[in-house]
């Protein structure tokens, strides 16, 4: 993907600052990575956080490397482009967009949803309207789950997480929380709601890619394919096959690889927020 000249002031790079920043989730890294993939791309980290905790691991304060500074610059650029695109989309629909914060960290840090840990993967916390990202997760995505990781696949992940922020601004997140808190729905029914929520964030990521490319012409050959590769890698069926050897559709919480691909592409092909009602399409 081509870099633009826009940068955001809403990125907080905590890497190299020293200190674990909170509690570390227990259970072993291997278990955590598998759990993290399940919750990756917008999953609620509370289930992982409640599994046990121990003292934070302290790290020494250090200067960021040139490569790390370039990554920070890249994240700032992508964040700026999400801000510009979603401000425009909201204005076109008579609303005002409030940009989220993006926190980059290593090992662990504090979030409004509790302690954040690298093995949880990128996630959005609605409590403080912030996206949390440890970039080392993308190595696991490529090495363990077969995704082709490129700059644009990272941009897709960020766009997906900010899609959850859009859901919070539109009230979707709150409605889903109310359904969950009511206790009237079975686990299987709430899993279907969760799938609709995640696929809508994929749709929003595709919409962002389309509208941003219309403005900036930043996409290059292979970019969309790399985003699809990342989306398919974190499909529930792919994760289940790799982690347990079989597929259980009732346990889906994020959607199959095909669903994730299709809703991302629907957002990209239409560029129209009105076409993204995954709840109506999936919960009839």
């Amino acid at each position: 993907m081509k870099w633009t000249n826009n940068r955001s002031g809403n990125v907080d790079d905590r890497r190299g600052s020293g200190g674990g920043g909170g509690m570390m989730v227990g259970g072993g890294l291997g278990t955590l990575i598998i759990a993290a993939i399940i919750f990756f791309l917008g999953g609620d980290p509370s289930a992982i956080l409640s599994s046990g905790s121990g003292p934070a691991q302290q790290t020494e304060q250090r200067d960021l490397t040139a490569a790390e500074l370039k990554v920070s610059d890249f994240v700032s650029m992508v964040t700026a482009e999400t801000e510009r695109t979603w401000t425009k989309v909201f204005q076109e629909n008579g609303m005002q967009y409030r940009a989220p914060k993006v926190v980059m960290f290593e090992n662990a840090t504090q979030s409004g949803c509790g302690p954040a840990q690298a093995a949880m993967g990128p996630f959005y916390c609605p409590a403080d309207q912030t996206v949390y990202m440890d970039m080392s997760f993308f190595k696991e995505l490529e090495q363990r789950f077969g995704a082709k990781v490129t700059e644009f696949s990272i941009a897709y992940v960020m766009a997906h997480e900010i899609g959850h922020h859009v859901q919070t601004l539109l009230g979707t997140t709150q409605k889903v929380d109310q359904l969950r808190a009511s206790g009237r729905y079975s686990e299987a029914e709430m899993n279907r709601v969760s799938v609709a929520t995640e696929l809508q964030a994929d749709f929003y990521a595709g919409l962002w890619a389309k509208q941003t490319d219309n403005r900036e012409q930043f996409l290059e050959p292979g970019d969309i394919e790399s985003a699809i590769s990342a989306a398919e890698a974190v499909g529930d069926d792919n994760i289940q096959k790799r982690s347990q050897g079989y597929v259980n559709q009732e346990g889906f919480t994020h959607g199959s690889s095909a669903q994730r691909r299709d809703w991302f592409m629907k957002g990209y092909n239409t560029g129209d927020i009105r076409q993204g009602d995954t709840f109506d399409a999936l919960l009839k």
Side-chain angles (χ1 to χ4, degrees), residues 6-168:
N6 301 308
R7 299 294 183 271
S8 172
N10 286 318
V11 177
D12 178 9
D13 192 345
R14 299 178 185 175
R15 298 172 301 164
S17 61
M23 304 295 286
M24 295 285 283
V25 179
L29 181 61
T31 301
L32 286 170
I33 288 295
I34 293 174
I37 294 287
I38 296 174
F39 284 84
F40 176 55
L41 296 182
D44 180 357
S46 60
I48 299 177
L49 295 173
S50 64
S51 66
S53 60
Q57 294 180 350
Q58 298 298 313
T59 58
E60 294 182 0
Q61 189 167 351
R62 63 179 180 82
D63 293 332
L64 297 180
T65 66
E68 288 173 325
L69 290 172
K70 184 177 180 181
V71 170
S72 184
D73 193 37
F74 174 77
V75 169
S76 178
M77 178 197 68
V78 174
T79 302
E81 295 304 341
T82 64
E83 292 167 354
R84 297 184 74 198
T85 294
W86 283 112
T87 294
K88 174 178 176 289
V89 172
F90 270 55
Q91 287 177 344
E92 290 172 346
N93 289 275
M95 299 177 293
Q96 184 175 359
Y97 182 69
R98 299 190 306 275
K101 295 287 186 181
V102 176
V103 169
M104 302 174 67
F105 70 98
E106 56 186 354
N107 298 323
T109 193
Q110 285 289 353
S111 80
C113 294
Q117 204 236 15
M120 289 161 53
F123 69 92
Y124 171 72
C125 173
D128 59 7
Q129 297 192 4
T130 300
V131 173
Y132 290 87
M133 299 184 66
D134 185 305
M135 306 305 291
S136 65
F137 181 80
F138 292 96
K139 294 180 182 178
E140 296 291 337
L141 182 63
E142 186 169 46
Q143 294 170 3
R144 293 174 59 107
F145 291 89
K148 178 184 178 182
V149 175
T150 66
E151 286 182 343
F152 190 72
S153 57
I154 295 173
Y156 152 69
V157 170
M158 292 181 61
H160 175 105
E161 298 304 338
I162 290 172
H164 286 303
H165 177 66
V166 171
Q167 290 174 322
T168 295

Side-chain angles (χ1 to χ4, degrees), residues 200-251:
Q200 187 175 67
D202 279 333
F203 173 88
Y204 288 157
L207 181 156
W208 167 79
K210 181 68 169 184
Q211 294 221 10
T212 304
D213 190 53
N214 287 343
R215 182 181 67 247
E216 299 290 342
Q217 291 79 52
F218 76 145
L219 291 177
E220 295 182 307
D223 283 344
I224 293 299
E225 289 77 9
S226 71
I228 291 173
S229 174
E232 291 178 336
V234 291
D236 285 319
D237 49 348
N238 184 49
I239 293 168
Q240 289 180 353
K241 286 178 183 177
R242 290 175 180 265
S243 62
Q244 65 189 24
Y246 62 93
V247 174
N248 173 23
Q249 292 188 8
E250 290 189 359

Side-chain angles (χ1 to χ4, degrees), residues 264-279:
F264 171 81
M265 288 306 301
K266 184 174 182 179
Y268 178 74
N269 288 328
T270 66
D272 182 0
I273 194 171
R274 295 169 297 179
Q275 304 299 316
D277 191 348
T278 54
F279 296 89

